[in-house]
Amino acid sequence: MSSDVEVKNIVLVHGGFVDGSGWQGVYDHLTADGYRVAVVQNPTLSLAGDVAATHQVLDGLDGPAVLVGHSYGGVVITEAGSHPNVAALAYIAAFAPDKGESVNTLIADPPPGAPVPPILPPKDGFLFLDRDRFPASFAGDLPEAQARFMADSQVPWGVDALGGVVSEPAWRIKPSWYLVATDDRMIPPPAQRAMSERAGSTVTETPGSHAVYVSNPAAVAAVIVQAATAVTGR
C-alpha cells in the first residue's frame, strides 16, 4: 500500500443469532469520526455464503478497509479478509480460527468451569439460544428490556455456518487487532486471549459481555480506529 493511502472504510460483520443492527452505536461513533461504514448482513446459512456477502460489500469500496467481525463474524473475516481491499482485521470478542478450524472445533472442548452457551439442539438445520438464558449469557451488561428484545428477535444460525471450515486465515497475511470482553459468557476470555495471541493481534481488554459492541460502542470504535490509523500509509 502506498504511503498516500488513507484507510477510511470500515466494514462491520455480525455474528450468529443476531443481525447487523446491533452495530448502530459503533457505526455512529465511526461515521462521526469521518469514516465510511458498511454493515454486512450475513445470511448465516453457511460460511461460504457469508464470505460471499462480505466480498460483495468489499468489491464495492473505493479503497482499503478495516474488516471487523464480532463472534462468528470473526470466522467470516478470517476467511474473507484475504480480499485485496482489506488492509486490517479487527476481532470484537470473536472467533479467530486457524486453517482447518470452525466454530464447531473451537467450542468442542470447553475448559473446566467455563460457561457453556445455552445453544438449543438444532431444529431443521438451525440453531437458537435459549430465550430465557439469552440475557445472562449473551448480553449481561445491557438493560433487561433490550436483552429480552435481542433474545426474542434472534436470527436462525445455520449448522452449516457453525461447521464452516477456514481455508487460509487472513490474519496470517494481514495485521489484526482484538478486543477481549472480560465478562464474556459466550466465548470465554481465556479463549479470546489465546486466539488473539496466536494471531499476533494487537490486544485491548475491556469489561463487557459478549454484546460489548452494543453495550460499549465507544470502546469498540476506538479499537477499530486504532487499526485504521495504524495501517494508513503502509
Side-chain angles (χ1 to χ4, degrees):
M1 193 180 298
S2 63
S3 60
D4 59 346
V5 174
E6 186 176 13
V7 178
K8 296 298 287 183
N9 292 300
I10 310 293
V11 177
L12 306 173
V13 182
H14 66 82
F17 305 119
V18 294
D19 66 12
S21 63
W23 285 116
Q24 183 169 358
V26 175
Y27 173 96
D28 289 344
H29 280 278
L30 293 171
T31 54
D33 284 341
Y35 290 93
R36 295 183 292 271
V37 184
V39 179
V40 178
Q41 293 289 356
N42 287 327
T44 60
L45 299 176
S46 68
L47 177 59
D50 296 334
V51 168
T54 302
H55 279 173
Q56 185 176 36
V57 172
L58 291 167
D59 287 343
L61 300 181
D62 58 359
V66 177
L67 184 60
V68 185
H70 169 255
S71 192
Y72 160 73
V75 183
V76 178
I77 72 169
T78 299
E79 182 72 8
S82 57
H83 190 285
N85 278 344
V86 175
L89 306 166
Y91 293 88
I92 310 301
F95 292 106
D98 204 345
K99 182 175 182 177
E101 292 181 341
S102 65
V103 173
N104 268 342
T105 63
L106 290 171
I107 68 173
D109 189 21
V116 177
I119 301 174
L120 298 172
K123 184 176 181 181
D124 299 325
F126 292 96
L127 300 166
F128 290 92
L129 290 179
D130 183 299
R131 282 176 165 75
D132 290 336
R133 297 169 63 194
F134 183 105
S137 294
F138 196 102
D141 55 354
L142 288 177
E144 180 74 12
Q146 187 175 8
R148 287 288 172 198
F149 174 79
M150 292 176 70
D152 289 336
S153 61
Q154 288 182 64
V155 175
W157 191 9
V159 294
D160 288 344
L162 197 77
V165 172
V166 166
S167 59
E168 293 294 338
W171 50 256
R172 291 196 177 277
I173 57 172
K174 305 287 177 79
S176 63
W177 279 254
Y178 198 110
L179 180 66
V180 174
T182 60
D183 304 315
D184 198 326
R185 297 184 63 82
M186 293 290 292
I187 305 177
Q192 295 183 39
R193 296 183 185 109
M195 289 185 289
S196 60
E197 181 179 2
R198 180 176 67 177
S201 304
T202 300
V203 179
T204 300
E205 298 204 5
T206 189
S209 73
H210 195 56
V212 65
Y213 69 115
V214 181
S215 62
N216 194 351
V220 173
V223 170
I224 297 168
V225 170
Q226 183 184 27
T229 302
V231 296
T232 289
R234 281 196 174 192

